[in-house]
């Protein structure tokens, strides 16, 4: 999944958070009312390599492995076939820092390395659900203005080694409702992130602490 996600959108990376493209569309089938979230995340390997030396090294190693497989069949010599956890982890760290200002020092081998575009798209969809249900929330709360009085709280069950969902939801990209400089800003998220794997718990804690978000996650 991560290979297709990273290569799905290659765009110039010198864009502000307000330039992200996110839209909600209805599915082609009328049998389901579920909305579809489309979140376009800029990702340019060459720009990332210039900015992050560790990714430059990982990319070079990947290309070298690809070159060494030239005599093999097409499947084993492809770039995708040479991807390792080291490359995925380096790419994840670079993209999270470049696009979201997040640090992710702990991504241990043998555990899932999250594909950032996929996770960002899901988080954008969650935010859209909140925006679309604002009227219902206000009615349920007895008329309290959601944007001023409510505190968004979530539980991430099985947060994994990255705690990526809570971390993404703390960024300012997902705090505004959209619509330019006059976008309405919502209360910050607070999260309870859980996992039954001690390695995941320790790793997630390190990532949260690296971003100084212990008071929110």
């Amino acid at each position: 999944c991560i290979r297709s996600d990273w290569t799905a959108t290659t765009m110039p990376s010198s864009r502000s958070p307000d330039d992200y493209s996110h839209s909600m569309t209805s599915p082609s089938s009328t049998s389901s009312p579920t909305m579809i979230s489309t979140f376009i995340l800029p990702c340019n390997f060459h720009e990332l390599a210039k900015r992050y030396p560790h990714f430059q090294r990982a990319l070079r190693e990947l290309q070298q492995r690809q070159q060494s497989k030239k005599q093999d069949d097409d499947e084993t010599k492809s770039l995708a076939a040479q991807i390792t956890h080291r490359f995925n982890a380096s790419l994840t760290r670079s993209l999270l820092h470049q696009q979201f200002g997040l640090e992710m020092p702990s991504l241990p081998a043998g555990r899932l390395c999250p594909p950032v575009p996929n996770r960002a798209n899901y988080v954008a969809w969650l935010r859209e659900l909140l925006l679309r249900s604002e009227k219902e929330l206000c009615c349920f709360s007895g008329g309290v203005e959601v944007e001023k009085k409510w505190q968004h709280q979530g539980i991430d069950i099985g947060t994994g080694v990255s705690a990526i969902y809570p971390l993404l939801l703390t960024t300012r990209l997902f705090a505004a409702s959209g619509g330019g400089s006059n976008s309405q800003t919502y209360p910050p998220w607070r999260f309870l992130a859980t996992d039954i794997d001690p390695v995941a718990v320790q790793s997630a804690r390190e990532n949260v602490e690296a971003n100084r978000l212990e008071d929110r996650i």
Side-chain angles (χ1 to χ4, degrees), residues 25-200:
T25 58
S26 300
S28 56
S29 172
T30 57
S31 62
S32 174
T34 305
M35 303 298 287
I36 299 174
S37 175
T38 303
F39 181 86
I40 299 177
L41 181 69
C43 180
N44 186 305
F45 281 12
H46 296 295
E47 292 296 325
L48 288 176
K50 289 179 182 179
R51 183 171 179 180
Y52 301 100
H54 63 86
F55 179 69
Q56 185 180 57
R57 292 190 295 271
L59 181 60
R60 186 182 300 116
E61 292 172 0
L62 181 65
Q63 293 168 337
Q64 289 173 349
R65 286 193 297 274
Q66 183 188 25
Q67 290 296 322
S68 68
K69 295 289 185 179
K70 277 190 173 181
Q71 302 304 318
D72 297 337
D73 59 80
D74 291 339
E75 182 177 352
T76 59
K77 73 179 182 182
S78 68
L79 186 65
Q82 310 308 319
I83 290 180
T84 63
H85 179 272
R86 172 183 168 85
F87 176 81
N88 279 344
S90 181
L91 179 56
T92 294
R93 292 186 177 108
S94 300
L95 197 54
L96 282 174
H97 186 268
Q98 181 197 48
Q99 304 295 348
F100 302 100
L102 292 171
E103 302 287 348
M104 190 158 289
S106 182
L107 284 171
R111 299 302 196 277
L112 178 65
C113 186
V116 177
N118 171 277
R119 300 307 193 262
N121 190 67
Y122 182 69
V123 168
W125 174 71
L126 287 177
R127 185 191 68 172
E128 190 70 20
L129 286 181
L130 284 177
L131 296 176
R132 288 178 176 272
S133 62
E134 179 181 309
K135 180 181 294 186
E136 288 79 5
L137 287 173
C138 185
C139 180
F140 178 77
S141 65
V144 176
E145 294 185 26
V146 177
E147 70 276 8
K148 295 181 179 180
K149 303 291 182 63
W150 280 59
Q151 170 70 63
H152 297 330
Q153 300 190 42
I155 301 177
D156 186 11
I157 302 174
T159 197
V161 297
S162 63
I164 190 169
Y165 286 128
L167 288 173
L168 283 175
L169 278 163
T170 62
T171 63
R172 77 180 184 91
L173 173 63
F174 296 108
S177 64
S181 58
N182 295 323
S183 296
Q184 188 175 39
T185 299
Y186 284 79
W189 280 87
R190 290 187 181 276
F191 260 93
L192 171 64
T194 72
D195 207 292
I196 62 173
D197 180 5
V199 174

